[in-house]
Amino acid sequence: MTQRIPRRYRRVAERFVSGNHVQLLRNGDQSFGAMLKAIAEAQQQVLLETYWFGSDGVGRRFAEALSGAKARGVEVAVLYDSVGSWEADEQMFEQMSGEGVHVLEFNPLGPWKKRFRLARLTLRDHAKILVADNAIGFTGGVNLAEAWLSPSEGGSGWRDDMVRVEGPSVMGLTERFLSTWTRQGGVPLRQPETRHDAPAGAQNVRVLSAGPYGRHRRQIIHAYLHNIYRAKQRVWISNSYFVPEPSVVRALCRAGRRGVDVRILVPAYSDVEIARHASRAVWGKLLRSGVHIYEWLESIFHSKTAVIDGEWSTIGSFNLDYLSLSNNLEVNV
């Protein structure tokens, strides 16, 4: 029997956009190649938003590709988070800027920087977005750094997922980027003339946002809860920093108790150990309600995905933790 959905989650409007082609990309090995190809083939505009823009081999490969796109007349805008990219070489960004790329640092850390604001230090841009010509878009958990490459490619083999979307729903990613870009004081960008006369595919997609400001700041968590309460067969979630708020714990426990196959995949090892320990504080209640919890043992696990009843799925940058709920800008599809 389907659980009665609490009133505040009943009216979650899943306004999907039809006519899209969606491709799941596994780890950096698949993601980086597809993203670089989109940059290389862009004719009008490339928009890039990321938390961690490294200045290692992967980061510099993307920097060169972005500068190359600008050199052939494509408008290029890059938005990177100051905390996530704090180890990056600033000269890399200065070089891109000198070559005509519009580069913007989200909520700068340094007090000597023009846009530094002490009150904004905890507000971070954790989203990962790449849009080419408003026609092809990417989002997920992969940052631009060698940690996401396989060991055979010289990386750390972090387990993660991205999604490539082609079709009219990409406009949602463009709007999400432009909203943050404008709020951060970025230069005006032109609107690419992209037309979708024929469907790119048969899949329905909706772009969801989360963040500390805006009327859609709880879109992602409300979509999660709405679909968990509607679940009849299974709720499968993978999350790298799984420290859920009470409303999520309650929804998962109720699903488990009514016989839904609830499985949570979390990291056995983490780059943020305190998050892994905090996650275990809620395990007892979940396990007693019939929820199954599994640990990924092979490498650092950084994925943020869910599949419910084989009908609804989500992938993006959103973690089921306090930071994603309250402090970070996030995006999922």
Side-chain angles (χ1 to χ4, degrees), residues 16 204 227 230 232-234 307-313:
F16 288 97
N204 300 324
N227 285 282
R230 291 177 66 243
K232 298 178 181 178
Q233 299 175 339
R234 59 185 179 273
V307 180
I308 297 179
D309 283 350
E311 297 177 351
W312 181 89
S313 63

Side-chain angles (χ1 to χ4, degrees), residues 51-330:
Y51 179 69
W52 178 359
F53 198 136
S55 52
D56 54 18
V58 168
R60 292 189 184 277
R61 207 158 88 209
F62 272 87
E64 290 172 6
L66 293 163
S67 294
K70 175 58 185 174
R72 64 175 190 271
V74 176
E75 181 180 57
V76 181
V78 174
L79 179 61
Y80 69 94
D81 187 79
S82 184
V83 170
S85 306
W86 73 276
E87 289 186 310
D89 183 358
E90 289 198 14
Q91 289 186 347
M92 181 183 71
F93 299 116
E94 291 170 1
Q95 182 176 346
M96 279 194 288
S97 183
E99 293 169 345
V101 175
H102 302 304
V103 180
L104 191 60
E105 185 179 9
F106 184 90
N107 287 355
L109 274 180
W112 60 90
K113 295 186 177 180
K114 185 177 179 180
R115 293 185 298 106
F116 172 80
R117 297 292 184 275
L118 186 62
R120 298 178 185 170
L121 283 184
T122 60
L123 305 181
R124 307 318 320 168
D125 188 354
H126 193 246
K128 289 86 176 167
I129 295 173
L130 174 66
V131 178
D133 294 340
N134 201 26
I136 297 172
F138 298 80
T139 193
V142 175
N143 288 286
L144 306 184
E146 288 181 347
W148 279 264
L149 284 179
S150 66
S152 64
E153 295 289 329
S156 302
W158 284 25
R159 175 69 189 93
D160 215 334
D161 295 291
M162 289 288 280
V163 66
R164 178 189 182 276
V165 182
E166 183 175 0
S169 68
V170 174
M171 177 55 107
L173 292 172
T174 301
E175 291 173 349
R176 168 66 176 75
F177 175 94
L178 292 176
S179 174
T180 308
W181 180 265
T182 302
R183 189 180 288 269
Q184 286 286 303
V187 300
L189 301 174
R190 64 175 181 259
Q191 181 68 44
E193 298 177 2
T194 302
R195 298 180 61 187
H196 297 283
D197 297 324
Q203 290 164 312
N204 300 324
V205 176
R206 184 190 180 196
V207 176
L208 299 167
S209 298
Y213 42 68
R215 63 189 180 93
H216 301 308
R217 62 185 180 274
R218 292 184 66 85
Q219 273 188 336
I220 299 175
I221 193 63
H222 282 182
Y224 258 101
L225 290 165
H226 175 73
N227 285 282
I228 291 170
Y229 275 111
R230 291 177 66 243
K232 298 178 181 178
Q233 299 175 339
R234 59 185 179 273
V235 173
W236 293 354
I237 295 172
S238 67
N239 212 252
S240 54
Y241 309 113
F242 181 72
V243 191
E245 67 173 10
S247 64
V248 177
V249 175
R250 185 162 50 249
L252 292 171
C253 287
R254 290 180 180 179
R257 287 196 295 267
R258 69 175 184 269
V260 176
D261 177 14
V262 183
R263 305 184 191 187
I264 313 294
L265 180 59
V266 297
Y269 320 104
S270 177
D271 61 317
V272 184
E273 277 297 297
I274 191 171
R276 189 175 68 87
H277 291 296
S279 175
R280 295 185 174 224
V282 301
W283 287 14
K285 188 172 184 179
L286 291 167
L287 291 168
R288 287 192 296 271
S289 298
V291 174
H292 303 277
I293 300 174
Y294 300 86
E295 291 183 300
W296 179 266
L297 299 171
E298 295 182 20
S299 59
I300 295 291
F301 185 80
H302 197 257
S303 181
K304 308 100 167 48
T305 66
V307 180
I308 297 179
D309 283 350
E311 297 177 351
W312 181 89
S313 63
T314 189
I315 182 171
S317 65
F318 186 83
N319 287 297
L320 290 167
D321 69 352
Y322 175 79
L323 291 177
S324 286
L325 283 167
S326 303
N327 288 51
N328 293 345
L329 298 183
E330 309 281 8

Side-chain angles (χ1 to χ4, degrees), residues 22-36:
V22 179
Q23 179 185 5
L24 183 65
L25 302 170
R26 182 183 176 96
N27 302 335
D29 297 0
Q30 294 182 4
S31 303
F32 294 148
M35 294 167 73
L36 288 166

